[in-house]
Amino acid sequence: KLVVDCMGNGSPISKQIRGDEVANGVCIVVGTQAEGFKPEYMGADLIVSDDDIVELEQNAGERRQYFWESFPNINGKRTTYLFTYLDDDSRRDGVESVWNDYVARLPSYMKENHDGFGAGKSVEECMDDGSFKPVKSFTGVFKTFKNSPIQMQHDRIVSVGDASGVQSPLSFGGFGAMLRHLERYSDALTEAIEENVSHKDDLNLMNGYLPNQACTWMFQKSMSVPMDDPRDADFINRLMRNNYKGMMS
């Protein structure tokens, strides 16, 4: 009776509706699950900035603020992400450049928790001697649109999660937003099927209202650097420090 589109950011249905619409924000995430870190290290980082805004030598005018996330896994493995918030400017360099920076910056970030990195070795050198063993790699390009949730143009189709655009521009996708509204989705879908509701105007009402979206967009804009932007290199770190101090006071 209904088609539930839960195909994520890559949903062909969403792409068809969005057309050539330009995303308002992009979060690029790269990382690995790897072995080789000190077994006693069980710490985790949610968002860590270990440097100020960096300039891309290979792409004049582009600057990025990088953040780290890291947490332990089972059997001594550790997941470590590098991510950055951007706009969708076509002049920006691609995902490969974020991977290059991940490889170049990981030893400095993890030097206290990995013997090889602590000794000044690079990722390549530690892979060669077997002290750093990536098990999995991850690449994510999460585009976010202020024009969300997406409005279906045809009957009998319901869009949820990433596919609908109901997500925070700060997060790695809309899975959390979908879980927060799982009961709403479940009840609404059950009622729609039982009552034979299929018109697009009715089905478009299923997605929940997210009153905190304006706040998360404000954070996204403050944590990204537009092309050719002249702001001070420490601007984002200084802003975040002041914001967190204010929230904790």
Side-chain angles (χ1 to χ4, degrees), residues 113-233:
N113 308 304
H114 186 280
D115 291 334
F117 297 155
K121 293 183 178 180
S122 66
V123 168
E124 293 91 337
E125 290 170 331
C126 289
M127 289 180 66
D128 288 342
D129 66 22
S131 63
F132 180 72
K133 299 178 181 178
V135 178
K136 297 178 182 178
S137 64
F138 174 82
T139 303
V141 180
F142 299 101
K143 294 188 175 184
T144 49
F145 300 84
K146 291 184 178 180
N147 180 26
S148 296
I150 203 166
Q151 298 297 297
M152 282 296 161
Q153 305 300 308
H154 303 285
D155 297 342
R156 300 189 182 279
I157 304 176
V158 179
S159 181
V160 300
D162 284 3
S164 72
V166 179
Q167 66 191 80
S168 164
L170 298 178
S171 67
F172 303 163
F175 183 67
M178 185 180 71
L179 286 182
R180 285 194 294 273
H181 297 282
L182 193 57
E183 184 176 0
R184 177 191 179 98
Y185 282 132
S186 178
D187 291 345
L189 284 169
T190 300
E191 183 176 350
I193 292 172
E194 290 177 348
E195 301 298 329
N196 200 28
V197 176
S198 59
H199 195 275
K200 58 183 176 62
D201 291 343
D202 297 316
L203 299 179
N204 282 333
L205 296 174
M206 285 191 187
N207 281 300
Y209 171 58
L210 302 177
N212 64 331
Q213 284 293 76
C215 181
T216 57
W217 274 110
M218 179 183 68
F219 269 101
Q220 197 275 349
K221 291 302 181 183
S222 69
M223 294 163 69
S224 60
V225 186
M227 291 290 293
D228 302 314
D229 187 278
R231 70 186 63 183
D232 294 340

Side-chain angles (χ1 to χ4, degrees), residues 6 15 23-24 47 89 92 107 133 165 169 173 186 198-199 211 227 239 242 248:
C6 51
K15 287 183 177 180
N24 299 101
I47 178 169
D89 194 308
R92 289 195 179 277
K133 299 178 181 178
S186 178
S198 59
H199 195 275
M227 291 290 293
L239 178 66
N242 290 335
M248 295 173 65

Side-chain angles (χ1 to χ4, degrees), residues 70-81:
S70 181
F71 47 89
N73 308 141
I74 60 173
N75 300 325
K77 300 182 181 69
R78 172 167 287 272
T79 296
T80 307
Y81 295 139

